[in-house]
Every structure is written in C-alpha cells, then in structure tokens.
C-alpha cells in the first residue's frame, strides 16, 4: 500500500513564538541589511518593502550597476543571462520614477 505524503504548508514563513532570541536578532539584522542594500542604490522605501516582500534579499550584480544609472537619468544597455535580474534592474527604477511623478503631481 502506498502512503500519501502530508500536504505541504504553503504561505509565508513566520518566526515561531518559541524561537530563540538569537533567531529574532538574526531576522531583524537581515531585514536591516536588505533595506540598506537597496537603499544604497537609491531605491525608495516603498519599493524596498515590496522587494523584501518578494524575497529579494540582495540586488543582483546587474541591478546593483543599472539601478543607480537609470535613477540618475542615464542610458543603460545590459546583457546578462536569463534569471540575472535584468527586468528588476530596469523595472525598479521605472516604477520609482512613475511613483515619484504621481506623488509630486498629487
């Protein structure tokens, strides 16, 4: 007779209430690191929260190079492998530019 595997739980991982304090400190430190990594590129806090929510822990190399250039109004041409983060490299600054324009117009 075959045994059926228990269904896997789907959804966000949460820190259990019984987790040791060290785990909580590690979680807080990693969130701070993510915030400062994207902040250093000039990404606004609203988009940093979205990136964090999507599990983007660090910008990829192509994102680290392209985002500040695009935000600065520069022309950027990038060639990199599939899955390297090119869409985010251009999408994040474009979203930020549109967000800032709409916010300023309001």
């Amino acid at each position: 007779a075959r045994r059926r595997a228990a269904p896997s739980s789907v959804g966000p991982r949460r820190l259990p209430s019984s987790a040791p304090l060290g785990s909580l400190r590690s979680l807080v430190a990693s969130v701070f690191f993510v915030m400062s990594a994207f902040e250093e590129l000039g990404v606004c806090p609203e988009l940093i929260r979205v990136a964090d929510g999507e599990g983007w822990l660090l910008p990829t190399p192509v994102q680290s190079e392209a985002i500040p250039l695009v935000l600065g109004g520069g022309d950027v041409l990038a060639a990199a492998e599939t899955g390297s983060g090119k869409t985010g490299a251009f999408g994040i600054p474009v979203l930020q530019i549109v967000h800032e324009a709409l916010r300023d117009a309001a």
Side-chain angles (χ1 to χ4, degrees):
R2 287 186 172 169
R3 288 188 169 191
R4 296 179 71 180
S8 63
S9 62
V10 177
R13 288 187 164 185
R14 291 191 168 91
L15 191 65
S17 59
S18 62
L21 186 57
S23 297
L24 182 58
R25 284 189 184 129
S26 175
L27 176 65
V28 170
S30 66
V31 168
F32 176 76
F33 185 72
V34 169
M35 294 291 283
S36 49
F38 278 100
E39 265 180 337
E40 288 178 12
L41 301 180
V43 177
C44 67
E46 295 88 348
L47 290 176
I48 292 172
R49 281 193 295 276
V50 172
D52 182 46
E54 290 298 315
W56 294 12
L57 300 178
L58 294 172
T60 65
V62 70
Q63 292 167 350
S64 294
E65 290 188 41
I67 289 172
L69 296 173
V70 175
L71 288 175
D75 294 330
V76 177
L77 176 65
E81 293 182 22
T82 299
S84 63
K86 292 182 301 291
T87 302
F90 295 99
I92 290 171
V94 168
L95 287 171
Q96 181 163 324
I97 291 165
V98 170
H99 171 69
E100 290 171 350
L102 291 173
R103 183 185 61 206
D104 294 345

